[in-house]
Amino acid sequence: MFRIVPLELETHFAEGTVNAFLAIGDSVTLIDTGNPGKASFQQLNSKLHRHGITLKDIDQIVLTHIHIDHAGSIPYIQKEIDLPIYVHEQTRGTINAGVDEYIRVQAFFHQFLTSCGADPLNHIIERPYKEENWRNVTYINEGDVIPLGGKAFEVIHAPGHSQSDILLWNSETGDTFAGDHLLKAFSVNAFIEPPNPGEINRPRPLLQYRESLEKVSLLPLEMIYPGHGEAFNDHFSLIKTRLLEQEKRCEQILEILADGGKCIYEICRHMYPRLHGNTVFLGLSQIQGHLDLLEERQQVSFEQKGSVVIYYSI
């Protein structure tokens, strides 16, 4: 008999906990893996054992996206057992990337924070390079169907929060593993990311996220199993709420710009005065996304002053 088992894991991020899930039926699938680190891996193992499952019982792992609180235990799992990993095609240039790619990504974030008027030395979330060697990885795409516990789940690519975000949707029951695309407890940040290798322009994640929300709003989802918080339904109302929140942030930014041009860091100090240290990046990313939207609507313009970008309301 098919069942979905939530595995709530601790995380040091502001969300407090992160969810992994077991889809148990004719086979066993682990959806997401929790944080990096030995302690998190041990907690995952403990949660599995509580439900009578060991790593050897798991047939495959599917990742909703590769943020470290969702994919962090992969290296530890693969030290124990060689399980197939399914992850979106967008991660092909990221997984097992070498030091050159690490340097490229870090350079992008340093440049982004500088252009915002922030200090990269104080406000960047910088992690040391660590070589990884994921094995048995299969890249999946929109419309692919993956059996989870013997049930067919369709891959829905929903970029925005990250470039690799997917939903896993069963069209018969409406059961959906949503990762961080839809969270009931709080709004999702559409994170600024570097361009893909070989490309010049970075993605515009809030515009992507809004398109993904519109796409997902057309699907008859039922019970939604999110990356953080409890399962919920009625995604239509939640999506309307999230879109309205974005409109309010746009209005707030325009009000801040009404008395003259400002860099993104200055806007951030107005909107999110409690952010300090490397958490400032969260606010900068949020604001840049909304400025992208306002620029698309021709409500703001910008100019480069030295290394800093200044935005103006039109």
Side-chain angles (χ1 to χ4, degrees):
M1 182 175 177
F2 179 79
R3 59 193 175 105
I4 294 171
V5 177
L7 306 171
E8 189 179 46
L9 305 168
E10 295 174 3
T11 174
H12 65 278
F13 294 108
E15 296 86 351
T17 61
V18 62
N19 296 328
F21 294 94
L22 290 171
I24 302 174
D26 296 341
S27 60
V28 179
T29 297
L30 176 64
I31 298 100
D32 290 345
T33 71
N35 285 284
K38 187 175 181 180
S40 183
F41 173 63
Q42 289 174 338
Q43 188 182 33
L44 173 64
N45 253 328
S46 176
K47 296 272 184 175
L48 292 173
H49 281 280
R50 282 188 208 174
H51 296 282
I53 300 293
T54 69
L55 288 177
K56 292 181 179 179
D57 297 317
I58 296 172
D59 298 286
Q60 61 186 6
I61 297 170
V62 183
L63 299 175
T64 61
H65 59 304
I66 61 165
H67 285 169
I68 62 169
D69 55 333
H70 293 263
S73 282
I74 289 291
Y76 292 86
I77 292 171
Q78 290 203 320
K79 284 181 181 178
E80 302 288 330
I81 188 169
D82 192 13
L83 291 173
I85 300 169
Y86 292 83
V87 63
H88 191 265
E89 172 71 27
Q90 181 65 36
T91 64
R92 187 181 289 272
T94 303
I95 291 174
N96 298 337
V99 68
D100 288 345
E101 175 63 7
Y102 169 82
I103 292 171
R104 183 187 77 89
V105 170
Q106 292 304 121
F108 167 82
F109 284 117
H110 275 263
Q111 187 276 329
F112 170 67
L113 265 73
T114 300
S115 72
C116 290
D119 181 358
L121 297 179
N122 292 327
H123 300 136
I124 199 167
I125 304 173
E126 189 163 8
R127 299 182 180 93
Y129 173 70
K130 184 178 180 180
E131 185 177 3
E132 291 187 346
N133 183 26
W134 291 19
R135 304 183 304 278
N136 205 354
V137 177
T138 297
Y139 296 100
I140 54 180
N141 285 288
E142 171 85 15
D144 288 349
V145 176
I146 301 178
L148 306 181
K151 299 286 186 180
F153 281 75
E154 182 178 343
V155 175
I156 310 297
H157 187 211
H161 172 66
S162 82
Q163 297 303 299
S164 62
D165 271 36
I166 61 169
L167 280 68
L168 299 162
W169 171 55
N170 181 275
S171 60
E172 294 183 1
T173 65
D175 287 337
T176 304
F177 298 99
D180 285 358
H181 175 69
L182 284 174
L183 304 175
K184 190 166 187 179
F186 48 86
S187 61
V188 171
N189 201 328
F191 285 110
I192 296 298
E193 295 188 34
N196 288 328
E199 297 182 3
I200 297 174
N201 297 320
R202 65 166 174 83
R204 299 206 285 178
L206 186 66
L207 299 182
Q208 291 176 315
Y209 186 53
R210 290 170 64 85
E211 290 178 2
S212 295
L213 288 174
E214 295 287 354
K215 178 170 75 171
V216 170
S217 72
L218 301 176
L219 297 175
L221 311 185
E222 291 296 334
M223 190 57 69
I224 297 170
Y225 298 90
H228 304 272
E230 297 181 352
F232 62 92
N233 53 22
D234 191 12
H235 66 299
F236 304 107
S237 296
L238 182 60
I239 288 173
K240 288 180 181 178
T241 297
R242 296 296 178 245
L243 291 172
L244 181 59
E245 289 169 348
Q246 293 164 14
E247 295 300 332
K248 289 181 177 178
R249 289 191 199 99
C250 285
E251 291 172 6
Q252 188 177 0
I253 290 171
L254 290 174
E255 289 175 3
I256 293 169
L257 293 177
D259 62 352
K262 291 178 177 62
C263 66
I264 294 176
Y265 182 68
E266 290 173 319
I267 299 171
C268 186
R269 300 316 299 157
H270 280 82
M271 293 181 66
Y272 307 115
R274 295 183 180 179
L275 293 180
H276 299 283
N278 58 25
T279 62
V280 167
F281 173 77
L282 305 177
L284 301 177
S285 191
Q286 180 92 274
I287 292 163
Q288 180 68 79
H290 286 75
L291 286 168
D292 288 345
L293 178 58
L294 289 167
E295 183 190 352
E296 180 86 358
R297 294 172 173 176
Q298 299 184 337
Q299 291 181 276
V300 299
S301 63
F302 65 89
E303 66 174 339
Q304 187 95 22
K305 288 191 174 181
S307 59
V308 179
V309 177
I310 306 297
Y311 279 86
Y312 303 87
S313 62
I314 297 176

